[in-house]
Amino acid sequence: AQSVTQLDSQVPVFEEAPVELRCNYSSSVSVYLFWYVQYPNQGLQLLLKYLSGSTLVKGINGFEAEFNKSQTSFHLRKPSVHISDTAEYFCAVSSPYGSGNTGKLIFGQGTTLQVKP
Amino acid sequence: DSGVTQTPKHLITATGQRVTLRCSPRSGDLSVYWYQQSLDQGLQFLIQYYNGEERAKGNILERFSAQQFPDLHSELNLSSLELGDSALYFCASSLTWGNEQFFGPGTRLTVL
């Protein structure tokens, strides 16, 4: 079975400061990893994804994440946050077809990023 | 706009009732997923359809059922509703499994 743990439920940060949202996963098979963002009263929007290849993945809105297989982590980073980045962030895991998985996403509990002026 | 549409946006009903949530996937996407988001359970996978056939089941109650029609839209049926079924229900679609999933805006269900 696969699982995702987001290590922080809330992360307060000042505007223009760097931020890291931590995500660890557990899986007995190879993984696909995703970060989604949910703004208030909206659906989930994909920030970035790791399927294979380079372990450093760049996404939208200046976010990036690094896949670390030995640490089973996929932490999300942004060098300078804006007020508009205030939202809920979800890390999710899936697996390639053929490894017993049909593509369903297993989500972490979410991290609330609060950007203060 | 993800291209995935869900109706209705809000639904208020009473315990014991039955409701149907509708989802239209992005054009060309064959796979539809349903997820439930609640404060206590977080985001949970319910069920997946691919080109009209059920492919995977997650934490879906027996009171809940779903189907995908020939035009690829999907419906999630919730019956004998309980207070605890109040949640945000998301539909997502992808070209096939393993691809990026695009989420709809969700249906907020309130059971009184």
Side-chain angles (χ1 to χ4, degrees), chain B residues 58-79:
Chain B
N59 298 324
I60 187 166
L61 300 171
E62 286 191 10
R63 301 183 283 109
F64 295 1
S65 65
Q67 53 184 327
Q68 186 178 29
F69 295 86
D71 66 352
L72 300 178
H73 91 271
S74 178
E75 292 181 358
L76 179 67
N77 300 296
L78 315 177
S79 62

Side-chain angles (χ1 to χ4, degrees), chain A residues 22-38:
Chain A
R22 298 180 294 166
C23 171
N24 285 102
Y25 69 90
S26 173
S27 178
S28 58
V29 297
S30 56
V31 295
Y32 291 158
L33 292 160
F34 305 83
W35 275 99
Y36 282 85
V37 60
Q38 184 179 27

